[in-house]
Amino acid sequence: MEKIMVAVKRVVDYNVRVRVKPDGSGVVTDGVKMSINPFDEIALEEALRIRERGDASEVIVVSIGSTECQQQLRTGLAMGADRAILVETSQAVEPLAAARVLLKLIEREGADLVILGKQAIDDDNSQTGQMLAALWERPQATFASAIEFAEGKATVTREVDAGLEVIEVDLPAVVTTDLRLNEPRYVKLPDIMKAKKKPLENIAIADLDVVIDPQFKVTNFAPPEQRQKGVMVEDVAGLVKALKDKGLV
Ligand code: AMP
């Protein structure tokens, strides 16, 4: 296989305690640590392993968003991707818009495999990979926990409710990653230095001729309800009474 394309989204780091803006229009991102979406790190790690074992020759990381996404692309390059593409826009990018942009890049680059995260942890949509496969009219294997290749096909193990399902898809295909696929590598300082010299191409979204108009409007954003303090009980009788008082038994 020639090329693997990996989509990485810039999101609020998963260790950050997210705060909702006072006007309920979204979450605070100013001054907040941003990172590659964790499932996309897994996607990139898998692409690198596939290339390292000789099953692919090039890994391209792509992101759609603001100029700041270059930080996450540089991290991707430091992890080992060969080159990066940023499709720049200041507008919010919904899954359908992201899928349309990714399709344009596939048409330009000719990817044999596109790996995405199963979901972005900021909006929890879990839609982009599926929409991309449909627009591209290629097979998809979602929630992958293992991937193997042979003779133009990918064999993908999927985590489903009842256990593990193994499916085979013809390449080119779309794969989305689940948590247990791998453990992404740590970036080392020399790799960060090396990544500065790797190619990072900037494309204005307007130059791709895609429709990215919003399909929905977020009408409100509210933080989760505060958890109530627990009550210590002396014994079983105390527990039963506490449950009765709350009307739970
Ligand atoms: P979602 O459908 O929003 O949950 O996102 C699923 C996956 O699509 C993510 O894990 C990324 O791999 C990819 N993706 C979504 N939005 C973007 C974006 N703006 N830039 C790059 N990749 C994206």
Side-chain angles (χ1 to χ4, degrees):
M1 159 173 36
E2 269 291 303
K3 289 183 194 174
I4 306 180
M5 190 177 283
V6 178
V8 300
K9 188 175 187 191
R10 173 183 161 93
V11 297
V12 172
D13 188 89
Y14 70 95
N15 285 309
V16 170
R17 184 183 283 264
V18 175
R19 280 180 302 124
V20 172
K21 288 181 186 165
D23 66 357
S25 63
V27 301
V28 178
T29 53
D30 286 347
V32 166
K33 184 179 177 207
M34 305 294 284
S35 299
I36 296 181
N37 179 47
F39 292 109
D40 306 351
E41 261 195 350
I42 295 172
L44 178 53
E45 176 63 36
E46 196 63 20
L48 296 174
R49 290 185 191 187
I50 294 167
R51 189 195 62 198
E52 284 161 4
R53 65 176 187 249
D55 282 338
S57 40
E58 192 181 32
V59 174
I60 310 167
V61 269
V62 306
S63 195
I64 309 149
S66 63
T67 321
E68 286 77 34
C69 297
Q70 288 187 355
Q71 294 162 6
Q72 282 64 44
L73 289 173
R74 285 278 169 220
T75 305
L77 292 171
M79 274 178 77
D82 298 287
R83 57 192 175 93
I85 303 174
L86 168 63
V87 176
E88 213 175 318
T89 173
S90 51
Q91 247 179 281
V93 184
E94 292 178 6
L96 182 58
R100 285 179 176 148
V101 169
L102 290 171
L103 181 63
K104 286 279 177 187
L105 295 181
I106 293 167
E107 285 166 357
R108 265 177 44 138
E109 298 287 340
D112 304 290
L113 177 69
V114 182
I115 318 184
L116 303 89
K118 74 166 179 182
Q119 74 192 65
I121 61 163
D122 51 1
D123 294 330
D124 282 343
N125 282 315
S126 193
Q127 295 174 3
T128 310
Q130 294 88 328
M131 287 180 174
L132 173 62
L135 293 176
W136 193 17
E137 295 185 38
R138 294 303 309 167
Q140 58 180 305
T142 51
F143 304 168
S145 59
I147 313 175
E148 279 168 48
F149 300 96
E151 291 154 18
K153 289 185 196 303
T155 304
V156 178
T157 306
R158 308 182 58 240
E159 295 192 16
V160 293
D161 258 4
L164 297 177
E165 177 188 64
V166 181
I167 62 168
E168 202 177 78
V169 291
D170 286 333
L171 297 175
V174 173
V175 170
T176 72
T177 59
D178 215 327
L179 202 60
R180 274 170 287 274
L181 181 59
N182 60 48
E183 257 188 52
R185 65 197 63 188
Y186 285 105
V187 173
K188 296 186 217 82
L189 190 61
D191 297 328
I192 297 174
M193 304 311 288
K194 253 195 267 168
K196 290 191 177 152
K197 297 208 186 79
K198 290 187 180 176
L200 194 164
E201 185 186 354
N202 259 54
I203 302 175
I205 206 159
D207 292 344
L208 286 182
D209 191 24
V210 283
V211 181
I212 54 158
D213 297 346
Q215 307 266 316
F216 61 80
K217 191 169 113 200
V218 176
T219 56
N220 191 39
F221 228 102
E225 275 196 18
Q226 288 268 330
R227 289 181 90 185
Q228 296 204 341
K229 245 181 145 186
V231 195
M232 291 296 280
V233 291
E234 295 285 323
D235 48 21
V236 176
L239 175 64
V240 173
K241 183 176 180 308
L243 291 173
K244 273 194 180 146
D245 289 349
K246 283 189 171 292
L248 296 172
V249 289

